[in-house]
Amino acid sequence: MSIVSGILNSSLGKKYIMAGTGALLFAFVIAHLVGNLQVFGPPELINNYAHFLQSKPLMVWGARIGLLVIVGLHVWSAVQLSVANRAARPVSYHDTEPYGSTWQSRYMLVSGLVIAAFIAYHLAHFTALLPGINGVGDFSKLKTELHGEEARDVYGMMILGFQVWWVALFYMVAQALLFIHLSHGLAAMFQSFGLRDHVWWPRIQIFAKAASIAIFIGYALIPATIYLRVVGTDYAEKVKHSMVESAAPTKPASKETH
Amino acid sequence: MKVKLKVWRQKSRNTPGEFRTYESPGLNENMSFLEMLDVVNEDIANRGEDPIAFDHDCREGICGTCSCVINGKPHGPHKGVATCQTYMRSFRDGDTIVVEPWRAAAFPIIKDLVVDRSAFDRIQHAGGFISVRTGAAPDANSIPVSKENSDLAMDAAQCIGCGACVAACKNASAMLFVAAKVSHLGLLPQGQPERYKRVKAMVAQMDTEGFGSCTVTGSCEAVCPKEISLDFIARMNRDYGLALLKGEPKKIAGGVAG
């Protein structure tokens, strides 16, 4: 039995895949949060950051393809394991109320699937910039000027995007589910890799709770403060205006309208 | 005291089963749960009906034969005891008690509350042993074992193979059982030569039998009559990973004696 077939074909191996890809996704979630929190600075801060990422296509596409593979593996093994788990108990009990387990641990598949749906929406919303789904208009028309170059106005996009109540709500619901998913998943990750004993288990569980709460607060603050008009309200008025103007047929989209 | 029993009745493996309700005759509250079933069965037999089939043997909590899910929890309401050590004083006069067999695809029902647990035997056959020369008993303490390891190995060796872990797990996973067996031998010097071969073989057999996998809900640990810890599942996960990394033992070219 080679190591690859040992991982792909055994229940324990698939748990390693879940845990390994989960750990990488956790690292991405932290990095992405640090990037996004720049929205609380001046507009140029996050626009500069976005511009920097955009100017490195090799890095951006490498990361995108890598993340896609990681998410794909995470979902693939989750589905494989869930199918086997369901098949292992064909007749259920009289009372399905389970004993001795947390509800977070029993709803990993559900929370995971909603997060997957959110990721699809989030990519269409802020990466593919599909105009029909954001409740505002065509985000690709939002441009700003950085160091004399034209760049995407990510700040304006976020502000306008989260002023729509249902978008802000959906983002916050998805973050709540990510919190549920991580509060169990971060601890289970250590268990799957066998990196625990009775001394470390309580510490690992505290780490999982603390990290998932911190991530929830960090991410949920962004749509919450923008929707409540605490952040960027003046800027929103300005760019809303420019979006309408730049959408006018006579003007080329590339022209700045400050 | 008197209770009402809602019991799963199933004639044989492939016939459909159903819940039937029985009124118990007057009971002594210090009867064990199994003694209560004996009394109810006597009543049923006197009426000329087929008594309820249930597994039992030592009736002192060390053989792992008894196996009822009582009101949704394997081995009844208390922690760290088997069904035979559950007493009627734990229930109230007039209670309705739901009694079911272990439910798992890998544990097919033989009759009523009796399930076929030979899947556990086959997992044991796959690797739950050590190879030693028989003969005169070796001197005691001729092989030193550290106190820590001997304590841990004894904790794992407590497993009586009743299958409550499978019954409680939402995925009908046998990992707590397999982990206890793997750890019990893997912690002792006598178990070292086959340590990595053992974990691979036992996990492979566990997967073949159709048990689910671990989602770290902790149900198994909570119902185990011997209070085997989830730590052992982590230990098995670690050993399995190491076994995969070590790979198969290499064949020596031309390796013949002389």
Side-chain angles (χ1 to χ4, degrees), chain A residues 1 3 6-7 10-12 15-16 81 85 87-94 99-101 105-106 184 188 191-192 194 196-198, chain B residues 6 73 100 103-105 166-167 169 171-172 175 200 207 210 212-217 219 230-231 233-234 237-238 240-241 245 248:
Chain A
M1 184 167 58
I3 184 159
I7 288 175
S10 73
S11 54
L12 259 57
K15 295 302 293 190
Y16 294 156
L81 288 166
N85 290 346
R89 169 149 313 131
V91 182
S92 58
Y93 287 110
H94 181 270
Y99 185 86
S101 63
S105 69
R106 297 194 302 271
H184 175 74
Q191 171 80 0
S192 295
R196 70 159 266 197
D197 58 19
H198 65 285
Chain B
K6 199 171 172 188
K73 180 180 174 277
E100 295 169 87
R103 297 208 188 273
V166 175
C169 176
N171 308 327
M175 288 208 190
K200 278 203 276 193
D207 287 348
S213 56
C214 178
T215 32
V216 203
T217 69
S219 290
L230 274 184
D231 283 355
I233 298 185
N237 289 339
R238 199 157 64 226
Y240 188 76
L245 288 172
E248 300 293 320

Side-chain angles (χ1 to χ4, degrees), chain B residues 61-65 75 82 120 156-163 177 181 225-226 228:
Chain B
I62 55 167
C63 75
T65 309
H75 293 308
F120 271 12
Q158 290 277 310
C159 173
I160 50 178
C162 65
F177 165 77
K181 298 304 170 195
K226 296 298 161 189
I228 309 271

Side-chain angles (χ1 to χ4, degrees), chain A residues 176-195:
Chain A
L177 282 159
L178 182 65
F179 160 68
I180 293 166
H181 201 74
L182 288 182
S183 67
H184 175 74
L186 285 179
M189 193 168 86
F190 286 91
Q191 171 80 0
S192 295
F193 277 137
L195 301 173

Side-chain angles (χ1 to χ4, degrees), chain B residues 50-182:
Chain B
D50 196 17
I52 303 161
F54 63 94
D55 259 332
H56 59 102
D57 191 14
C58 76
R59 299 205 179 198
E60 55 184 12
I62 55 167
C63 75
T65 309
C66 54
S67 65
C68 299
V69 173
I70 302 163
N71 286 339
K73 180 180 174 277
H75 293 308
H78 294 298
K79 211 174 146 49
V81 294
T83 300
C84 58
Q85 299 161 295
T86 298
Y87 295 92
M88 293 314 291
R89 55 179 177 262
S90 306
F91 303 91
R92 277 195 305 265
D93 190 30
D95 271 1
T96 299
I97 306 171
V98 181
V99 192
E100 295 169 87
W102 288 173
R103 297 208 188 273
F107 287 163
I109 292 180
I110 297 171
K111 189 178 181 187
D112 298 340
L113 305 173
V114 181
V115 297
D116 178 359
R117 281 171 281 186
S118 51
F120 271 12
D121 298 337
R122 289 188 292 273
I123 294 173
Q124 280 285 59
H125 296 166
F129 53 81
I130 57 167
S131 301
V132 287
R133 284 173 181 278
T134 54
D139 273 355
N141 302 326
S142 61
I143 303 172
V145 184
S146 75
K147 174 74 175 143
E148 291 78 13
N149 281 355
S150 98
D151 282 354
L152 266 181
M154 284 310 290
D155 285 350
Q158 290 277 310
C159 173
I160 50 178
C162 65
C165 44
V166 175
C169 176
K170 78 175 182 70
N171 308 327
S173 169
M175 288 208 190
L176 194 65
F177 165 77
V178 180
K181 298 304 170 195
V182 163

Side-chain angles (χ1 to χ4, degrees), chain A residues 1, chain B residues 122-123 125-127 196-206 208 240:
Chain A
M1 184 167 58
Chain B
R122 289 188 292 273
I123 294 173
H125 296 166
Y196 296 105
K197 199 173 140 192
R198 174 183 307 119
V199 66
K200 278 203 276 193
M202 291 182 83
V203 167
Q205 188 61 35
M206 170 182 85
T208 310
Y240 188 76

Side-chain angles (χ1 to χ4, degrees), chain A residues 192-213:
Chain A
S192 295
F193 277 137
L195 301 173
R196 70 159 266 197
D197 58 19
H198 65 285
V199 176
W200 277 91
W201 189 231
R203 299 176 190 170
I204 288 167
Q205 282 179 311
I206 290 168
F207 158 75
K209 292 277 176 309
S212 51
I213 288 173

